[in-house]
Every structure is written in structure tokens, then in C-alpha cells.
Amino acid sequence: MKLTGKILIALIVGGVFGLLFNLFASDSFPYVDQYLLTPIGKIFLNLISMLVVPIVFFSITLGTAGIGDPKKLGRIGTKTISFFLLTTGIAITIGLSLASVIQPGAGWNLGTEQATFQGKEAPPVIDTLLSIIPKNPIQSMANGDMLPLITFAVFIGIGIVALGKKANRFLEFVEQGNEIMMYLVHLVMRFAPYGTFALIASAIGKQGLTAIKAMGLYMTVVIAALFVHAIVTYGSSLLLIAKQNPISFFKGFFPAMAVAFSTSSSSATLPVSMKAAQENLNVPKSISSFVQPLGATINMDGTAIMQGVATVFIAQVYGVDLTFSQLLTVVLTATLASIGTASVPGVGLVMLTMVLKSVGLPVEGIGLILGVDRILDMLRTSINVAGDATCAVVVAKTEEKHMKQPTKGKLDYQETELAG
């Protein structure tokens, strides 16, 4: 059986396993979770997380060197960031619109007096911008700080291009390092069905039906917005710009979305998503290696949808009518915050805290949605990684004519070897 089928079966069996324990053996579930599910899930997460930092370094360096021409690098970077900002704005608009029409929080008595949440402070924008340039790239690697690591890798790639043949040996080292990481991804993915089963069973077993039923309408709106965004925004981008069948895209990218669903981490899914994009979607390595690691760090479409729905939901629960200008503020704040808070732990809730404060809503309202946020986090992470891959496919299509034109001078050998 193919890996996709195994992961799909693991998702279903894990969900049923967790739900049955929650319903009929809830007293014994903590022991099963502590001694079986959590260890298996952590082993899988650790195996994938182990590869993230070296893959980001090797892939971004290789991608930058493969792009070669600094003008081309700037063009691809501009397209990538523009695509992410545009789709994030569209995503939160979809979330706001559906929540305003369906009104999941209207007339609900969810005990707002008991709702508590201690929000984390997002760093000032200027600090985020300054931290993009690492003072110590080795420390950034050790801490897993993606934006400084990406910046350092881009500079290394530019240095390889500038030095030409003098850096051939180092370029070979980077290529070989990247190949080793891809092999290890293949190796780790053999464990994916077991890790997926354990993670899903643990999440469903802890949540059960009680929390899900209490927040059913809110969850329905978020899930509906995620599907609308995937089908309409990504589907139209693939169909109209990339000239690719959206069904074929999602079929080829499903293994990565399944891993994203089980891990709830775009960064942890990065090795799998790059493999799927390059092998199943035929995205050139030079494009995939640059676009997808950047997207895993700053692209928050699924999270932005949650921001929009949660903001309207909390406003309705507290009986606050949001004006058009406030809704516009939500769109702008969430879109910019998706990049500004990229490296902050618990980025989704940090972003939501910023959004609620921007329109004067009580941050304590986040306590109302925490019960089901783990399950929704799985879904929105799947949408996040699908957005990264969609951007890679779109950028690759728009760069086809440029990639067919050979560059002049000392970059020729690199373009020939790395561009495709």
C-alpha cells in the first residue's frame, strides 16, 4: 500500500481509537496516552523536527544558488511574499464574512465570566525586523529561529554565486547535505502512519465529544472557511495562473497535508511538504527550496481564517457590534501580524491577542475557544502548508520563461545544474 493510504487509514483508526477510549474508558485513557500514544507521537515529532534546521539551511542555500541572478532572486522573493500577503488577506476576509453571516456566537451563553486567558505579548515590529539579521547564526540554528536562519542561508547562497568556481566544493557539500536530508525524510516517513495514529488518538481522546459539541457551530464556520479558501483561493490560483488541475494538486500533496494535520506544525512538516512538491507536483528544486521554507515561517492563511472567525465569534458572545472600519482593522492587523509574529511560540494565539486588542475586544474571550483550538489547529496547519505549495507551483509557472533563458558569464554552470 502507498504511504498516502497508510496515513489516511492511520488518521481514521486513530480518531476512532481516541473517541472510543474517551466515551467508554476515559479513566484508563490517561495511562494509555502517557505510556503509549504520547511517546510514539513524540518520537515521530522529534524525528521530523531533527531534520528541519539542516533542511532549511541546505535548501535555502541551494535554492538561492540555483536561482543565481540577484535580480531573479529579488523577483521570486517579491512574488512569494506578495502571494502570501494577498492570500492571507483573502483568508481572513473569508473568515470574517462567513462568521458575520452565520453568527456562531449570537445568543450563546457560554459563561464569559469564567473565560480567562493570559495573552503573550508580541514583540515590537522593529524588533522583529532587526532580528531577521542574526548576530550569531549558529545560535539561531540551535534555537530553531527560522527567519534569521533563512537570512543567513540566503547570504551563503549569494556568496556561492558571487565566487563562482571558487565555491564549487562548498556547493557540492550543500548539494550532498540536501540529498542526505531528503533520504532521511524518506526513512522517517516510514514511521509516519504510526506517529499519525498516536497523535490523532491522543488529541481526540483528550477532547472527546463534550468540548466539540459545545463549540460545534464555531468549529463548523472555521472548517467551512478553510475549505472555501482551499477550493476558491488556491484552486483558482492553480487553475488560472499555474494552469494545473486543483484535484491533481491536492491528490499529490495529500501526504504532506496529512502529516501537517497530525503534527500541527508547518515547520515540522517542511521536509515532507518539500518532498511532495518536488516529486509529485514537479516544482523545480530551486523554487521549492526557496519558497516553501519561507512559507513555513511567514505564511499563515489557515491561522488568519481562525483570527477572523474567532474575532467575530467573541464579539457576538460579548454583544459587541463590529463596525466596517473595525473589520478592516482586523484584516490589516492579522495580515501584517502573520509576518511580524512569525517566530513567536504559539503564534496563532499571539496573533489573535493582537487582533482583539486592535478592535477593543476582551482578550479573555480567547478562553472560550481554547477547548477546541487543538483540533482546529490541525486543520489550519494543513491549509498553511497547502498554501506554501500552491505558491511554489504558481511561482514556478510564472518563472518558466525566465528559467528557459540561460544567464551569461559565471552563473551558467549553476543555472544548468540547479535551475530544474
Side-chain angles (χ1 to χ4, degrees):
M1 186 184 296
K2 290 184 178 180
L3 182 63
T4 300
K6 291 179 181 179
I7 292 176
L8 184 59
I9 290 173
L11 284 170
I12 297 171
V13 175
V16 173
F17 182 87
L19 189 59
L20 289 176
F21 257 93
N22 183 271
L23 293 175
F24 303 109
S26 57
D27 292 338
S28 59
F29 179 77
Y31 300 99
V32 176
D33 184 47
Q34 181 179 356
Y35 296 108
L36 178 66
L37 301 178
T38 297
I40 294 175
K42 282 188 175 180
I43 288 171
F44 177 56
L45 285 176
N46 289 347
L47 283 171
I48 295 182
S49 300
M50 172 181 71
L51 305 177
V52 171
V53 169
I55 277 182
V56 169
F57 175 75
F58 286 131
S59 63
I60 287 284
T61 302
L62 200 59
T64 304
I67 291 169
D69 185 0
K71 290 182 179 179
K72 187 176 180 181
L73 178 64
R75 185 175 64 244
I76 291 176
T78 301
K79 288 178 182 178
T80 301
I81 295 175
S82 299
F83 183 91
F84 289 149
L85 288 175
L86 179 61
T87 56
T88 300
I90 293 172
I92 194 169
T93 302
I94 291 172
L96 288 170
S97 301
L98 283 182
S100 298
V101 172
I102 299 175
Q103 298 187 347
W108 281 65
N109 182 17
L110 296 181
T112 54
E113 65 279 356
Q114 278 85 35
T116 59
F117 177 75
Q118 187 65 40
K120 295 180 181 178
E121 288 293 332
V125 176
I126 187 64
D127 288 353
T128 302
L129 293 175
L130 291 175
S131 68
I132 290 175
I133 309 296
K135 291 187 292 185
N136 185 343
I138 306 301
Q139 185 179 15
S140 297
M141 290 182 183
N143 295 336
D145 296 332
M146 288 297 130
L147 283 178
L149 175 57
I150 288 172
T151 303
F152 178 65
V154 168
F155 274 102
I156 295 292
I158 292 173
I160 291 173
V161 172
L163 292 175
K165 293 182 179 180
K166 292 180 181 179
N168 266 359
R169 189 166 297 176
F170 187 79
L171 179 60
E172 289 177 5
F173 163 74
V174 174
E175 289 175 322
Q176 291 168 357
N178 193 61
E179 289 297 324
I180 291 172
M181 291 302 111
M182 289 300 108
Y183 168 76
L184 292 179
V185 171
H186 280 279
L187 205 60
V188 169
M189 284 305 293
R190 294 181 183 180
F191 190 69
Y194 307 101
T196 299
F197 165 82
L199 290 167
I200 295 300
S202 178
I204 299 296
K206 289 175 183 175
Q207 297 290 338
L209 292 176
T210 305
I212 297 173
K213 284 181 179 178
M215 300 294 293
L217 192 56
Y218 165 75
M219 289 182 66
T220 301
V221 175
V222 173
I223 293 169
L226 290 171
F227 275 99
V228 168
H229 187 62
I231 294 170
V232 176
T233 308
Y234 297 156
S236 59
S237 298
L238 292 165
L239 199 61
L240 301 177
I241 303 175
K243 310 298 181 185
Q244 186 173 123
N245 186 340
I247 297 176
S248 300
F249 169 87
F250 286 109
K251 184 179 179 181
F253 198 65
F254 177 79
M257 294 181 70
V259 172
F261 183 82
S262 61
T263 62
S264 299
S265 171
S266 297
S267 295
T269 312
L270 184 60
V272 186
S273 60
M274 288 177 61
K275 175 177 175 291
Q278 293 171 17
E279 296 181 3
N280 300 344
L281 306 178
N282 298 319
V283 178
K285 286 186 179 180
S286 60
I287 302 294
S288 169
S289 298
F290 181 83
V291 172
Q292 287 181 274
L294 185 60
T297 307
I298 68 173
N299 182 37
M300 304 281 178
D301 286 4
T303 306
I305 285 173
M306 184 273 285
Q307 313 297 313
V309 177
T311 300
V312 175
F313 173 77
I314 291 170
Q316 290 169 353
V317 169
Y318 281 90
V320 177
D321 292 325
L322 296 175
T323 64
F324 179 77
S325 61
Q326 285 178 313
L327 293 175
L328 196 59
T329 301
V330 170
V331 174
L332 293 173
T333 303
T335 302
L336 296 176
S338 66
I339 293 179
T341 60
S343 59
V344 179
V347 61
L349 296 179
V350 172
M351 285 174 62
L352 184 54
T353 301
M354 294 175 62
V355 170
L356 293 177
K357 286 182 176 181
S358 70
V359 291
L361 289 173
V363 175
E364 291 77 15
I366 296 177
L368 298 172
I369 63 172
L370 284 179
V372 295
D373 190 67
R374 177 69 178 87
I375 295 174
L376 293 177
D377 194 20
M378 297 174 175
L379 288 167
R380 62 179 184 252
T381 304
S382 298
I383 297 300
N384 285 344
V385 299
D388 301 340
T390 301
C391 181
V393 171
V394 168
V395 170
K397 181 65 178 180
T398 60
E399 286 294 312
E400 273 185 355
K401 60 181 180 180
H402 299 290
M403 294 177 75
K404 290 176 183 177
Q405 297 173 358
T407 53
K408 298 179 180 180
K410 61 184 178 183
L411 300 181
D412 288 351
Y413 76 99
Q414 290 175 345
E415 287 290 327
T416 302
E417 288 183 2
L418 301 176

